[in-house]
Amino acid sequence: MQGRGRGFRDQRMTFTLPRRGVLAGVAAAALLKPFGAGADSDAQTTPSLARIAARGGRYYGAAARFDQIEAERGLGPALARECAQLTPEIHMKWDAIEWHAGQHSFEQADGLVRFAREHGLKVRGHTLLWDQSTPAWAKSKILAGDWSPIRRHFETMLGRYGDVEEWDVVNEPIDTVGGKGGLRRNCFHRGLGAGYVARALREARSLAPTARLLVNDYGFDYDNPVEEARRRRFVKLLADLKAEGAPLDGVGVQAHLDLSKGPLKPEILEPFFAKIADLGLYAVISELDVKEHDLAAPLAERDRRVADQVQQYLDIALAQPNVRGVVTWGLSDRHSWLSEAGADPINRGLPYDAGLARKPMYWAMRDSFLRAHDG
Ligand code: G3I
């Protein structure tokens, strides 16, 4: 879908590579991939995740920040190598763009878009409406029932970033614990009512007629009552939106996995994806990462647990034809939102370690793509 248009030679290489099991991957990583920049010496000769994903018509991408790309020499090349797509982790959020009403800061978002363009990568728009990233001045207007800041914000973003093909229009609308009727009591819901999701989609469609419009949310992955309620409410929201003709094309399933939440179950996840497909919607695994449970365990064991979890998740998700892409929430552990500043050790829930060497999660992802696409 979002291939990077590289040459035949690389594609052929993809086809001839032997498969590698996760355990083999772990062993190989332990033997060949000590920490530290430059340790990943076969980076130039192994097909990228983007290329392997593209074999099944899917894309692989990562969340990224332009300031980090500029600050860290190896990060840009690694992103450019592995990804077909970048999601701005922060820069396109409303508070990053317009902290003060009418004063726009586009530098970081523009920088990331420029970097993506220079390397032939797509950009996912993240995110037009999210309570947590709505600036205070806009929140107070919205709470008073004023839609006009939203209209202006959409005009700004969809106008300036008109070549973005896929947008998370509404982020995290579900809250079955503290919400109302299962919808989060955010400033949009409180000021404008439950219809804000459909209205936001219509507004986005009027300004971006050809973009793919998504609702993005988390907490759908595990077998527990809270997540079961969240899955049910999410699917109902999607069904309601479709029934009223709202222009919804797909969903982002964030998949912030968590090793403390128990095993992943196909009998839970498969029907969830199937219900989304039945509504004519595609899905993107939009923010994949893994929160570790036991950072004191031996390193190889920690990496194995993370890799196993990711492999289990992707084996299920990639068996669903309507899952079109996988995005990890960052590429390297060094930049993960799960890695607290100054923490030692840090969480290891992304495909590259803090020294920008690929680790078992990387090989697990690669294996899952290969399994899904080669049958
Ligand atoms: O830039 C300021 C800096 O000037 C200041 O000194 C510092 C002090 O805290 O804050 C910095 O801003 C922070 C920003 O990240 C950059 O580091 C914000 O406080 C912090 O809230 C922001 O966190 C991001 C968060 O979204 C809110 O935008 C995380 O990096 C990002 O990973 C996270 O991503 C979200 C997705 O958008 C939606 N799904 C959940 C996911 C994880 O929370």
Side-chain angles (χ1 to χ4, degrees), residues 59 61-63 85-88 124-126 166 168 171-172 214-218 220 234 251-256 273 283-289 313-314 323 325-330:
Y59 68 77
Q85 177 266 74
L86 299 179
T87 303
R124 277 193 86 238
H126 177 82
E166 184 173 278
D168 291 333
N171 195 49
E172 302 178 6
L214 278 66
V215 172
N216 187 48
D217 216 323
Y218 69 92
F220 304 134
F234 189 55
V251 301
V253 174
Q254 293 185 11
H256 290 294
F273 284 111
V284 175
I285 310 305
S286 57
E287 304 187 14
L288 179 66
D289 58 14
Y313 187 84
L314 289 184
V323 172
V326 177
V327 178
T328 50
W329 205 238

Side-chain angles (χ1 to χ4, degrees), residues 65 67-68 88-90 93 95 126-127 130 132-133 171-172 216 218 254 256 287 329 335-337:
R65 289 172 48 168
D67 52 325
Q68 292 173 346
E89 185 175 357
I90 295 168
K93 290 171 182 166
D95 56 355
H126 177 82
T127 169
W130 185 26
Q132 281 186 43
S133 63
N171 195 49
E172 302 178 6
N216 187 48
Y218 69 92
Q254 293 185 11
H256 290 294
E287 304 187 14
W329 205 238
H335 306 112
S336 170
W337 71 297

